[in-house]
Amino acid sequence: MRHPTEGVLRRLIDEPAGVADPDRQHVATCQQCLTALAAAREDATLVGAALTTSVRPDVDAAWQRLSTAARATAPAPVAA
């Protein structure tokens, strides 16, 4: 049997019931697939951590920087 795709391995993590039994059985007995599955789990953990990070932007400071930069790069008015 061929090795399952990366998408199938990812589905084993996110939605295990959506993976066909032959693929699930192959992964359970194949060291190469188990290694790839472990890497996919690690990636999922890192992405999950990145998405749950709470950032509180300082909107007023950002607006001030944008306004200052816009004025500094604005073209000079042309006399009529």
PDB file of all heavy atoms in Angstrom, residues 27-45:
ATOM      1  N   VAL A  27      -0.962   3.582   8.752  1.00  0.00           N
ATOM      2  CA  VAL A  27      -0.202   4.530   9.573  1.00  0.00           C
ATOM      3  C   VAL A  27       0.196   3.895  10.899  1.00  0.00           C
ATOM      4  O   VAL A  27       1.314   4.093  11.378  1.00  0.00           O
ATOM      5  CB  VAL A  27      -1.012   5.830   9.798  1.00  0.00           C
ATOM      6  CG1 VAL A  27      -0.345   6.724  10.824  1.00  0.00           C
ATOM      7  CG2 VAL A  27      -1.207   6.576   8.478  1.00  0.00           C
ATOM      8  N   ALA A  28      -0.672   3.101  11.477  1.00  0.00           N
ATOM      9  CA  ALA A  28      -0.397   2.477  12.776  1.00  0.00           C
ATOM     10  C   ALA A  28       0.768   1.495  12.723  1.00  0.00           C
ATOM     11  O   ALA A  28       1.405   1.231  13.748  1.00  0.00           O
ATOM     12  CB  ALA A  28      -1.650   1.772  13.289  1.00  0.00           C
ATOM     13  N   THR A  29       1.074   0.966  11.527  1.00  0.00           N
ATOM     14  CA  THR A  29       2.129  -0.040  11.427  1.00  0.00           C
ATOM     15  C   THR A  29       3.348   0.418  10.626  1.00  0.00           C
ATOM     16  O   THR A  29       4.298  -0.346  10.479  1.00  0.00           O
ATOM     17  CB  THR A  29       1.576  -1.313  10.771  1.00  0.00           C
ATOM     18  OG1 THR A  29       1.096  -1.001   9.463  1.00  0.00           O
ATOM     19  CG2 THR A  29       0.452  -1.906  11.609  1.00  0.00           C
ATOM     20  N   CYS A  30       3.340   1.641  10.134  1.00  0.00           N
ATOM     21  CA  CYS A  30       4.422   2.126   9.275  1.00  0.00           C
ATOM     22  C   CYS A  30       5.249   3.185  10.023  1.00  0.00           C
ATOM     23  O   CYS A  30       4.730   4.244  10.374  1.00  0.00           O
ATOM     24  CB  CYS A  30       3.850   2.718   7.987  1.00  0.00           C
ATOM     25  SG  CYS A  30       5.085   3.472   6.912  1.00  0.00           S
ATOM     26  N   GLN A  31       6.515   2.896  10.236  1.00  0.00           N
ATOM     27  CA  GLN A  31       7.363   3.827  10.983  1.00  0.00           C
ATOM     28  C   GLN A  31       7.505   5.161  10.257  1.00  0.00           C
ATOM     29  O   GLN A  31       7.501   6.218  10.891  1.00  0.00           O
ATOM     30  CB  GLN A  31       8.744   3.213  11.234  1.00  0.00           C
ATOM     31  CG  GLN A  31       9.601   4.033  12.171  1.00  0.00           C
ATOM     32  CD  GLN A  31       8.921   4.295  13.511  1.00  0.00           C
ATOM     33  OE1 GLN A  31       8.364   3.400  14.142  1.00  0.00           O
ATOM     34  NE2 GLN A  31       8.948   5.535  13.968  1.00  0.00           N
ATOM     35  N   GLN A  32       7.609   5.130   8.932  1.00  0.00           N
ATOM     36  CA  GLN A  32       7.726   6.379   8.172  1.00  0.00           C
ATOM     37  C   GLN A  32       6.478   7.243   8.355  1.00  0.00           C
ATOM     38  O   GLN A  32       6.575   8.455   8.560  1.00  0.00           O
ATOM     39  CB  GLN A  32       7.932   6.064   6.690  1.00  0.00           C
ATOM     40  CG  GLN A  32       8.120   7.301   5.829  1.00  0.00           C
ATOM     41  CD  GLN A  32       8.379   6.936   4.362  1.00  0.00           C
ATOM     42  OE1 GLN A  32       8.678   5.790   4.043  1.00  0.00           O
ATOM     43  NE2 GLN A  32       8.260   7.910   3.497  1.00  0.00           N
ATOM     44  N   CYS A  33       5.316   6.616   8.317  1.00  0.00           N
ATOM     45  CA  CYS A  33       4.066   7.370   8.502  1.00  0.00           C
ATOM     46  C   CYS A  33       3.909   7.847   9.947  1.00  0.00           C
ATOM     47  O   CYS A  33       3.406   8.950  10.188  1.00  0.00           O
ATOM     48  CB  CYS A  33       2.873   6.519   8.078  1.00  0.00           C
ATOM     49  SG  CYS A  33       2.776   6.263   6.294  1.00  0.00           S
ATOM     50  N   LEU A  34       4.325   7.038  10.904  1.00  0.00           N
ATOM     51  CA  LEU A  34       4.256   7.458  12.302  1.00  0.00           C
ATOM     52  C   LEU A  34       5.158   8.662  12.557  1.00  0.00           C
ATOM     53  O   LEU A  34       4.789   9.576  13.315  1.00  0.00           O
ATOM     54  CB  LEU A  34       4.630   6.297  13.230  1.00  0.00           C
ATOM     55  CG  LEU A  34       3.587   5.183  13.336  1.00  0.00           C
ATOM     56  CD1 LEU A  34       4.161   3.990  14.101  1.00  0.00           C
ATOM     57  CD2 LEU A  34       2.319   5.700  13.991  1.00  0.00           C
ATOM     58  N   THR A  35       6.316   8.693  11.906  1.00  0.00           N
ATOM     59  CA  THR A  35       7.223   9.837  12.033  1.00  0.00           C
ATOM     60  C   THR A  35       6.586  11.077  11.429  1.00  0.00           C
ATOM     61  O   THR A  35       6.618  12.163  12.027  1.00  0.00           O
ATOM     62  CB  THR A  35       8.571   9.524  11.359  1.00  0.00           C
ATOM     63  OG1 THR A  35       9.141   8.384  11.996  1.00  0.00           O
ATOM     64  CG2 THR A  35       9.520  10.699  11.457  1.00  0.00           C
ATOM     65  N   ALA A  36       5.989  10.922  10.247  1.00  0.00           N
ATOM     66  CA  ALA A  36       5.320  12.051   9.596  1.00  0.00           C
ATOM     67  C   ALA A  36       4.118  12.516  10.414  1.00  0.00           C
ATOM     68  O   ALA A  36       3.846  13.723  10.514  1.00  0.00           O
ATOM     69  CB  ALA A  36       4.883  11.664   8.186  1.00  0.00           C
ATOM     70  N   LEU A  37       3.398  11.589  11.025  1.00  0.00           N
ATOM     71  CA  LEU A  37       2.256  11.943  11.873  1.00  0.00           C
ATOM     72  C   LEU A  37       2.723  12.722  13.105  1.00  0.00           C
ATOM     73  O   LEU A  37       2.083  13.710  13.500  1.00  0.00           O
ATOM     74  CB  LEU A  37       1.504  10.684  12.296  1.00  0.00           C
ATOM     75  CG  LEU A  37       0.256  10.880  13.150  1.00  0.00           C
ATOM     76  CD1 LEU A  37      -0.787  11.704  12.405  1.00  0.00           C
ATOM     77  CD2 LEU A  37      -0.324   9.534  13.557  1.00  0.00           C
ATOM     78  N   ALA A  38       3.839  12.322  13.688  1.00  0.00           N
ATOM     79  CA  ALA A  38       4.379  13.050  14.849  1.00  0.00           C
ATOM     80  C   ALA A  38       4.767  14.470  14.452  1.00  0.00           C
ATOM     81  O   ALA A  38       4.511  15.426  15.202  1.00  0.00           O
ATOM     82  CB  ALA A  38       5.578  12.314  15.426  1.00  0.00           C
ATOM     83  N   ALA A  39       5.349  14.639  13.262  1.00  0.00           N
ATOM     84  CA  ALA A  39       5.712  15.980  12.787  1.00  0.00           C
ATOM     85  C   ALA A  39       4.458  16.814  12.551  1.00  0.00           C
ATOM     86  O   ALA A  39       4.420  18.008  12.878  1.00  0.00           O
ATOM     87  CB  ALA A  39       6.537  15.871  11.508  1.00  0.00           C
ATOM     88  N   ALA A  40       3.411  16.205  12.003  1.00  0.00           N
ATOM     89  CA  ALA A  40       2.151  16.921  11.777  1.00  0.00           C
ATOM     90  C   ALA A  40       1.521  17.336  13.107  1.00  0.00           C
ATOM     91  O   ALA A  40       0.973  18.433  13.230  1.00  0.00           O
ATOM     92  CB  ALA A  40       1.187  16.058  10.968  1.00  0.00           C
ATOM     93  N   ARG A  41       1.614  16.471  14.109  1.00  0.00           N
ATOM     94  CA  ARG A  41       1.083  16.822  15.445  1.00  0.00           C
ATOM     95  C   ARG A  41       1.852  18.003  16.045  1.00  0.00           C
ATOM     96  O   ARG A  41       1.265  18.902  16.644  1.00  0.00           O
ATOM     97  CB  ARG A  41       1.176  15.623  16.386  1.00  0.00           C
ATOM     98  CG  ARG A  41       0.057  14.662  16.245  1.00  0.00           C
ATOM     99  CD  ARG A  41       0.000  13.689  17.433  1.00  0.00           C
ATOM    100  NE  ARG A  41      -1.124  12.802  17.242  1.00  0.00           N
ATOM    101  CZ  ARG A  41      -1.023  11.515  16.961  1.00  0.00           C
ATOM    102  NH1 ARG A  41       0.149  10.938  16.863  1.00  0.00           N
ATOM    103  NH2 ARG A  41      -2.109  10.786  16.790  1.00  0.00           N
ATOM    104  N   GLU A  42       3.160  17.983  15.866  1.00  0.00           N
ATOM    105  CA  GLU A  42       3.981  19.082  16.382  1.00  0.00           C
ATOM    106  C   GLU A  42       3.623  20.391  15.681  1.00  0.00           C
ATOM    107  O   GLU A  42       3.481  21.429  16.332  1.00  0.00           O
ATOM    108  CB  GLU A  42       5.463  18.761  16.184  1.00  0.00           C
ATOM    109  CG  GLU A  42       6.389  19.772  16.819  1.00  0.00           C
ATOM    110  CD  GLU A  42       7.847  19.360  16.670  1.00  0.00           C
ATOM    111  OE1 GLU A  42       8.135  18.159  16.718  1.00  0.00           O
ATOM    112  OE2 GLU A  42       8.681  20.274  16.531  1.00  0.00           O
ATOM    113  N   ASP A  43       3.452  20.335  14.360  1.00  0.00           N
ATOM    114  CA  ASP A  43       3.041  21.524  13.614  1.00  0.00           C
ATOM    115  C   ASP A  43       1.686  22.028  14.099  1.00  0.00           C
ATOM    116  O   ASP A  43       1.485  23.230  14.272  1.00  0.00           O
ATOM    117  CB  ASP A  43       2.961  21.226  12.106  1.00  0.00           C
ATOM    118  CG  ASP A  43       4.317  21.035  11.471  1.00  0.00           C
ATOM    119  OD1 ASP A  43       5.344  21.383  12.112  1.00  0.00           O
ATOM    120  OD2 ASP A  43       4.362  20.535  10.329  1.00  0.00           O
ATOM    121  N   ALA A  44       0.754  21.113  14.310  1.00  0.00           N
ATOM    122  CA  ALA A  44      -0.578  21.499  14.776  1.00  0.00           C
ATOM    123  C   ALA A  44      -0.511  22.170  16.142  1.00  0.00           C
ATOM    124  O   ALA A  44      -1.208  23.147  16.402  1.00  0.00           O
ATOM    125  CB  ALA A  44      -1.492  20.279  14.823  1.00  0.00           C
ATOM    126  N   THR A  45       0.351  21.670  17.005  1.00  0.00           N
ATOM    127  CA  THR A  45       0.521  22.264  18.334  1.00  0.00           C
ATOM    128  C   THR A  45       1.082  23.680  18.233  1.00  0.00           C
ATOM    129  O   THR A  45       0.593  24.603  18.905  1.00  0.00           O
ATOM    130  CB  THR A  45       1.442  21.390  19.198  1.00  0.00           C
ATOM    131  OG1 THR A  45       0.850  20.095  19.319  1.00  0.00           O
ATOM    132  CG2 THR A  45       1.668  21.990  20.570  1.00  0.00           C
TER     133      THR A  45
END
